[in-house]
Amino acid sequence: MNRKVYIILRIFPLLPVIMLSGCVENTDQQAVPNSITALQNSSTVQITDMLGRQLTVPAEISSTVGTSSPPAILVYMLAPDKLAGWNSRQNFTHPFMDENYSNLPVIGNWLGTKTGNYETIIDMHPDIVIESTSTDGKTNEVIERRQENLGSIPVVAINDSILFVTQSDPTIEYVGKLLNCETQAQKLIEFRSSILNEINNTVKDIPEDQKVRVYYAEGPKGLMTDPSGSQHSQVIDICGGINVADCPLTPESGMTQVSIEQVMNWNPQVIITSNPQFYANVYSDSLWKNVDAVQNKRAYLAPQNPFCWIDRPQGPHLILGTAWTAKMLYPDLFADMNLSELTREFYSEFFHYDLKDEELNILLNPATET
């Protein structure tokens, strides 16, 4: 694979320090508060979450759940045996996940559909619950309400950088320390950095008038979308595409309704979608036949399993969808990017599943399964 590997030295903004005894260097005694010293021989330790809240958690965390899919997916990628449940069920014929993980119980969530149930979590007795802070716009109130309802189970807050492909390193690093899987977290950070740098170095000098015009088709009819700047369409912005959607941004949930007349007026060169139903009909639907992307056979369905690669659920797995998007938008510029090898590596390292050739083909050529 002709893949550039970049070694990046970053100075991260000062993160809340995770004061786990296993992560404290003996040579830096002044940095260790007295309370930590008192707890070193205990079954608990004190930590600071990403909101700056002081918490007491088990010294060895072996079971955790998230209140939404992004933190749950991150835990699965970093420490799969410490994940106790999913927030929703992915109903795929081929889940591309070991059944030990795909069969974990479903606990609901408090992001989007808000199907979470406190009693379900309490009955599972996880060591901690991880909460993403992008909830209802009133972060502190939500976290405190969550903690009150969950009683003695510590609720550890991470920030919403986990939703954004280019911003999630601090959260990956934090959870890696929290769950004592720092090596795995660093592997993910390096994988992301390599892809993002290759994409940026390739697309940064594309003249504006040569950038590909892209429409993100959502919903079964393809007539819902998200404009540039939305967290749901971020892969287009990252990959140097021009998001043609000139429509209001719907906060949080996204999916702004548009008309086929608007799409025809925008006339995108490429359509990407995460909806298999829309993709199955787009080439035969007379409403879409005059759109450039359809006429030129440049409508693409994002890989779906075990999670959609480009949107919903969001999380650190979207880095692979960013590579996929770059290849769909600029196949000539990214001719040397071996998406098959990247996919095998990512699934093995972070989804803990070794893809068979047939499975890889289903992922990268979804029309085969359709």
Side-chain angles (χ1 to χ4, degrees):
M1 173 178 62
N2 297 320
R3 177 178 166 205
K4 301 176 183 176
V5 179
Y6 297 86
I7 300 175
I8 301 175
L9 299 177
R10 291 184 177 180
I11 302 176
F12 290 110
L14 185 62
L15 291 172
V17 178
I18 302 180
M19 298 174 291
L20 296 171
S21 59
C23 299
V24 175
E25 296 290 335
N26 293 331
T27 56
D28 191 14
Q29 294 295 334
Q30 292 183 347
V32 183
N34 291 334
S35 59
I36 295 300
T37 303
L39 288 169
Q40 282 180 343
N41 295 321
S42 173
S43 60
T44 59
V45 294
Q46 290 180 338
I47 67 167
T48 304
D49 72 9
M50 296 188 80
L51 282 185
R53 298 162 60 247
Q54 301 295 312
L55 300 167
T56 299
V57 303
E60 180 61 36
I61 296 171
S62 60
S63 174
T64 183
V65 295
T67 59
S68 62
S69 291
I73 292 173
L74 178 58
V75 172
Y76 171 63
M77 293 174 68
L78 299 185
D81 293 335
K82 298 185 179 185
L83 182 66
W86 296 109
N87 301 94
S88 62
R89 178 70 68 196
Q90 303 294 324
N91 295 314
F92 294 123
T93 305
H94 307 280
F96 301 156
M97 182 184 290
D98 187 285
E99 63 181 13
N100 290 325
Y101 305 124
S102 62
N103 290 335
L104 289 173
V106 176
I107 63 171
N109 71 82
W110 281 275
L111 193 63
T113 56
K114 295 180 174 57
T115 58
N117 184 286
Y118 290 111
E119 293 302 322
T120 300
I121 294 177
I122 292 170
D123 289 345
M124 294 173 68
H125 306 290
D127 292 328
I128 63 170
V129 171
I130 300 180
E131 166 82 33
S132 174
T133 60
S134 61
T135 45
D136 300 346
K138 299 178 181 179
T139 298
N140 291 323
E141 293 179 20
V142 170
I143 297 294
E144 292 308 317
R145 183 170 69 248
R146 206 79 77 219
Q147 185 64 78
E148 180 180 352
N149 285 312
L150 289 170
S152 62
I153 302 173
V155 178
V156 181
I158 61 174
N159 66 39
D160 62 3
S161 71
I162 197 59
L163 302 178
F164 301 95
V165 176
T166 62
Q167 300 175 26
S168 57
D169 280 0
T171 306
I172 295 171
E173 185 176 46
Y174 178 90
V175 174
K177 291 179 180 179
L178 177 68
L179 300 181
N180 193 28
C181 52
E182 294 172 82
T183 299
Q184 181 73 353
Q186 189 57 39
K187 284 182 182 178
L188 179 56
I189 288 171
E190 290 173 357
F191 187 95
R192 292 179 60 264
S193 296
S194 175
I195 289 178
L196 288 176
N197 277 274
E198 181 171 357
I199 290 173
N200 183 59
N201 288 337
T202 303
V203 305
K204 65 180 181 180
D205 295 324
I206 299 176
E208 196 70 18
D209 61 356
Q210 295 180 27
K211 290 183 177 180
V212 175
R213 294 170 51 80
V214 188
Y215 174 70
Y216 177 29
E218 300 178 86
K221 296 183 178 180
L223 293 177
M224 303 184 82
T225 193
D226 283 284
S228 179
S230 168
Q231 63 193 35
H232 298 288
S233 60
Q234 60 183 297
V235 294
I236 299 173
D237 296 333
I238 293 169
C239 294
I242 296 177
N243 188 330
V244 299
D246 182 12
C247 62
L249 189 155
T250 303
E252 293 189 7
S253 59
M255 288 198 179
T256 301
Q257 183 76 48
V258 296
S259 68
I260 188 62
E261 289 78 17
Q262 287 175 290
V263 177
M264 292 176 66
N265 184 55
W266 297 329
N267 201 23
Q269 297 165 284
V270 169
I271 294 172
I272 62 172
T273 185
S274 56
N275 191 289
Q277 184 177 342
F278 167 74
Y279 180 74
N281 297 315
V282 65
Y283 288 118
S284 59
D285 190 334
S286 60
L287 289 177
W288 292 83
K289 66 179 182 180
N290 293 322
V291 177
D292 272 0
V294 175
Q295 290 185 339
N296 295 319
K297 304 297 183 185
R298 297 200 67 187
Y300 305 110
L301 173 64
Q304 304 286 305
N305 309 3
F307 317 105
C308 180
W309 284 17
I310 63 171
D311 190 23
R312 297 186 183 87
Q314 291 163 287
H317 64 290
L318 295 192
I319 185 59
L320 189 57
T322 305
W324 174 86
T325 302
K327 289 279 286 188
M328 299 306 104
L329 268 55
Y330 300 106
D332 293 337
L333 292 180
F334 288 96
D336 289 340
M337 178 185 278
N338 191 322
L339 192 58
S340 293
E341 287 193 23
L342 280 177
T343 301
R344 286 189 187 277
E345 178 184 353
F346 187 88
Y347 272 64
S348 179
E349 287 283 354
F350 306 113
F351 282 168
H352 319 290
Y353 186 84
D354 293 326
L355 289 166
K356 301 179 179 66
D357 290 345
E358 180 185 0
E359 293 170 333
L360 180 65
N361 184 53
I362 289 172
L363 272 174
L364 299 183
N365 301 284
T368 301
E369 187 170 31
T370 303

